[in-house]
Amino acid sequence: MDSQQEYVLRTIEERDIRLVRLWFTDILGSLKSVAVAPAELESAFAEGIGFDGSAIEGFSRISESDTIAMPDPSTFQLLPVDGDDHPIQSARMFCDIMNPDGHASYSDPRQVLRRQVQIAADEGFSCMVSPEIEFYLVENLQTAGQAPKPTDNGGYFDQASYNIAPHFRRDAMFALEDMGIPVEFSHHETSPGQQEIDLRHADALTMADSIMTFRYLMKLIAQRNGVGATFMPKPFQQYAGSAMHTHMSLFEGDINAFHDPDDEFSLSRTAKQFVAGILTHANEISAITNQWTNSYKRILFGNEAPTAATWGVSNRSALVRVPTYRLAKEQSRRVEVRSPDSACNPYLALAVLLGAGLKGIREGYDIPEPAEDDIASLSRRERLALGYVDLPGSLDQALREMEKSEFVADILGEHVFEFFLRNKWREWHDYQQQITSWELLNNLSF
């Protein structure tokens, strides 16, 4: 037993923890959990917890359903207590999914990201990530398919005057900090009910775990405040969508490989090649960073959402933005990828973004000239004239780009690649079958 496992067992005993939740995700990023009693944890560290992988979306076929969840002791954290009525102390750990032969499961999104992190390490880099996570607070999630109601009337940075959950962000920040997830900023976003909380940078795998924990905590704290939290990319026609703007940088040891003090924007050749990789493969990875039919309502009609594979300096309409805050500060040099939405699977999204950037570095991609226009305000013909490549405008288009991509297939692995496509094509066909109220309103009289 290693020192981390010993620390977990000692902490459980000292803190009188009654329940340990072992977490992992399916291919779409839904959180899965199995609870174990503390007495069973030592054997779980040694042998894992067996479960039926065929019952998890995209994991295993019936003929190979035996699957093992191996707790990762480095992810151990105490969870917020259940409440005053049930003050039970519990904890959580993320798991790596294994096959009975001891090899990592090809279906585990966490392993997909881990492979890219290892490739980066083999090439001398560590990847640091910092997301800006947007979401909505609504009065009720059970709306029978009707539009929800925001919990407040606030706008950007407002202290909302009408707010049925006035202490939500305070409670959320405390809960995140208590779980060892540092928060940089928290504020009201542009639309009624819309919130943003920015997490402090961490390595890519830790950050993916933190994003999954974040979504769990936001829903839990919203429920305790008598409201609901939704990470749906665009729940309101008239309001902005919810993005997960993702700041990324590569480090070589303690040196930020994206920083060049002699460049106009302090951006190194490595950083420019990384950006070029993301731009080159943007359409191929769109179905991963924006995996829902609703995601493309945000892309096409959202506020400051990217519509073309462009980059720019301080340009919030570009796919990749280079922030100009603190240009001379080496540790702050980073790029901001603005395409992912808050409902992506963070393991897969970070894996394809990192993989695309590394491919750009490895193969020496050239970066185009930065965009200076408000790209979303340009017509399609204007974008074409300027040489901009439009991002997919629907899940249908995104899947067509993805299914012919050897690059994405290589990053995800054959099983995840094939299952993801099969699942998403089914979603798109189900979406196409719907007869909407708009169609009835405009076509029924013909």
Side-chain angles (χ1 to χ4, degrees), residues 86-313:
H86 303 282
I88 298 173
Q89 183 68 70
S90 59
R92 72 94 165 100
M93 276 185 287
F94 281 93
C95 294
D96 292 314
I97 306 304
M98 313 294 289
N99 295 321
D101 62 5
H103 290 94
S105 170
Y106 45 71
S107 307
D108 183 9
R110 202 165 186 261
Q111 295 291 356
V112 172
L113 178 55
R114 193 190 296 276
R115 286 198 300 269
Q116 289 305 307
V117 169
Q118 185 58 55
I119 289 171
D122 292 343
E123 296 178 6
F125 299 116
S126 59
C127 179
M128 303 300 288
V129 177
S130 174
E132 304 172 2
I133 309 176
E134 297 172 348
F135 58 100
Y136 275 93
L137 291 182
V138 296
E139 292 186 7
N140 196 331
L141 294 173
Q142 307 304 318
T143 65
Q146 301 303 305
K149 295 181 179 179
T151 58
D152 63 62
N153 63 350
Y156 191 64
F157 270 42
D158 276 357
Q159 182 67 45
S161 57
Y162 165 75
N163 192 343
I164 63 174
H167 302 304
F168 172 83
R169 285 202 305 275
R170 179 199 66 183
D171 296 346
M173 290 181 69
F174 289 164
L176 288 165
E177 294 282 353
D178 285 347
M179 287 199 66
I181 301 175
V183 175
E184 282 195 333
F185 306 108
S186 167
H187 62 86
H188 200 287
E189 253 298 336
T190 57
S191 301
Q194 193 177 34
Q195 319 295 320
E196 177 178 310
I197 298 179
D198 302 352
L199 304 184
R200 189 171 302 150
H201 64 271
D203 68 89
L205 188 59
T206 298
M207 185 54 70
D209 290 342
S210 295
I211 293 168
M212 292 304 306
T213 305
F214 179 99
R215 294 202 297 222
Y216 169 83
L217 286 176
M218 295 309 102
K219 289 181 175 293
L220 176 67
I221 294 163
Q223 186 179 42
R224 291 182 182 177
N225 279 266
V227 298
T230 176
F231 293 88
M232 183 177 179
K234 200 171 191 304
F236 297 99
Q237 178 179 332
Q238 69 273 37
Y239 300 140
S242 291
M244 189 177 76
H245 300 149
T246 302
H247 297 253
M248 305 182 74
S249 56
L250 295 181
F251 279 74
E252 296 175 293
D254 295 329
I255 299 173
N256 188 343
F258 279 10
H259 181 73
D260 180 356
D262 297 325
D263 182 75
E264 180 182 4
F265 304 111
S266 301
L267 205 63
S268 70
R269 177 171 173 78
T270 296
K272 292 175 181 177
Q273 291 172 333
F274 187 91
V275 171
I278 290 176
L279 299 182
T280 300
H281 298 286
N283 284 13
E284 298 166 68
I285 67 178
S286 181
I288 303 297
T289 57
N290 308 92
Q291 67 166 330
W292 305 100
T293 55
N294 180 256
S295 297
Y296 296 86
K297 304 292 177 69
R298 169 187 161 253
I299 294 290
L300 288 175
F301 307 109
N303 184 33
E304 297 183 351
T307 56
T310 58
W311 76 284
V313 179

